[in-house]
Amino acid sequence: MSEFIDDSDPFQVESGALKPVSGEELARQRILRLLFTEPGDIVHRPDLGGGLQSFRNKPPTPTNTRRIRNQAARLLDSLDFVESHEVEVVGSGSAYTLTIRAVIDGAELMIEEVAVG
Amino acid sequence: MADLLPFQDLYDEFESAVTADVETGLADFSPGSRLDAYAGVAATAAQTVMRWISRQVRRVFISASSEGDLDVAVADRYGDVDFLQRRTDEDDETYRARVLEYAQNLGRGTISSLDYYLRRVRTDLDAESVLVSEDLDTGILTMRATALAGEDASSVAASIVGDLPDWRPAAHGWNVIIDEAA
């Protein structure tokens, strides 16, 4: 059965129960979830989410790169558990790669090379 | 409608049901989390179902009610059983409507002729004349204006009445009070 369990699924099953996450992994999931949620995806929070998926297949112009970086930074600002952060966006071909360094509870959390789109 | 649970109560109900089971270890209801999304969907669905059931109950109640039931419903909602008077339409079907004596034979679902007329009066009336009051039962408008020095009060009154919209409902009248110039 274990071969059918996707390790990236936060709801993976462990000994018949849901496996919760905490600490650094919880913070990482919260950040990525906020960035990649499309506004309107959550029925009772129509404005929530960064909507970075909308940059899929858009040319990696300096303007688009800057917009992604600003959008990500703005969303990270809104998270009260993030003390400080740096966002780096690299565009190549029709894809962007996002790298986030955030300080949470005094410790640095690095989220590397997340593909946008 | 007042008895239907608001969205937040339903959301809280979902949250407390999930967090009450400590063995699941599920507690992350931060905005945007999966549990937050599920709670929102559950609360929205519950609210929609409650509204639908409420509509059905009201529909069944009214269609199956006796005269006494309707009296109770009207008194319950408006506090006075006479607020909606019992009437009979041209097909001899009983219905209830607010007390609008001046409405006469207007059909249901339309504004009354006097109501329409009053809207026109409020829109069209000359700024120098002021609508003081309107008696909805009798259809009497009371207006007040000040006569300028040397002006005849009756001609001022005639001028104001002349400014009223041409079309007037049948049961309708007016009083014009003219104040003398200081």
Side-chain angles (χ1 to χ4, degrees), chain A residues 9-11 17-18 20 26 30 33-34 37 42-45 48, chain B residues 7 11 24-26 28 30-34 36 38 40-41 44:
Chain A
D9 183 356
F11 270 10
L18 294 174
L26 178 62
R30 276 189 183 178
R33 191 175 60 218
L34 182 66
T37 296
I42 296 182
V43 66
H44 65 297
R45 300 188 195 278
L48 187 102
Chain B
F7 178 88
Y11 182 100
T24 62
L26 299 175
D28 181 14
S30 58
S33 65
R34 291 188 183 205
D36 176 57
Y38 294 152
V41 168
T44 304

Side-chain angles (χ1 to χ4, degrees), chain A residues 55-68 89-97 116:
Chain A
F55 288 94
R56 181 198 300 253
N57 292 331
K58 287 195 175 169
T61 60
T63 304
N64 281 343
T65 307
R66 191 171 58 247
R67 285 172 64 195
I68 293 176
V89 182
V90 177
S92 71
S94 62
Y96 300 89
T97 306
V116 176

Side-chain angles (χ1 to χ4, degrees), chain B residues 10-178:
Chain B
L10 295 165
Y11 182 100
D12 293 344
E13 193 72 30
F14 182 94
E15 183 175 348
S16 59
V18 170
T19 52
D21 189 351
V22 291
E23 289 192 13
T24 62
L26 299 175
D28 181 14
F29 278 84
S30 58
S33 65
R34 291 188 183 205
L35 286 175
D36 176 57
Y38 294 152
V41 168
T44 304
Q47 203 170 38
T48 305
V49 169
M50 282 199 309
R51 283 192 183 133
W52 181 82
I53 290 173
S54 169
R55 274 203 303 275
Q56 298 304 313
V57 167
R58 277 184 290 179
R59 194 172 293 171
V60 170
F61 174 82
I62 289 175
S63 66
S65 61
S66 66
E67 288 296 314
D69 293 335
L70 286 180
D71 284 344
V72 171
V74 171
D76 209 27
R77 180 155 180 99
Y78 297 105
D80 177 9
V81 71
D82 292 326
F83 185 83
L84 297 184
Q85 287 197 342
R86 193 177 301 170
R87 295 165 188 271
T88 306
D89 67 9
E90 60 275 12
D91 296 327
D92 213 25
E93 187 183 338
T94 302
Y95 67 98
R96 303 226 167 213
R98 279 187 290 169
V99 182
L100 297 171
E101 294 300 337
Y102 58 83
Q104 299 176 349
N105 295 321
L106 285 173
R108 280 174 281 168
T110 64
I111 64 171
S112 72
S113 55
L114 183 63
D115 195 16
Y116 174 76
Y117 182 65
L118 286 174
R119 291 184 197 183
R120 290 282 309 277
V121 168
R122 291 188 200 106
T123 308
D124 297 351
L125 208 59
D126 193 316
E128 68 184 335
S129 54
V130 179
L131 185 63
V132 175
S133 66
E134 51 206 40
D135 186 329
L136 293 179
D137 286 330
T138 61
I140 301 290
L141 308 179
T142 302
M143 292 162 289
R144 183 174 210 121
T146 304
L148 300 175
E151 242 181 344
D152 179 38
S154 60
S155 66
V156 174
S159 161
I160 290 171
V161 171
D163 284 343
L164 294 174
D166 291 337
W167 177 83
R168 291 161 191 160
H172 160 261
W174 55 78
N175 293 321
V176 182
I177 303 165
I178 304 297

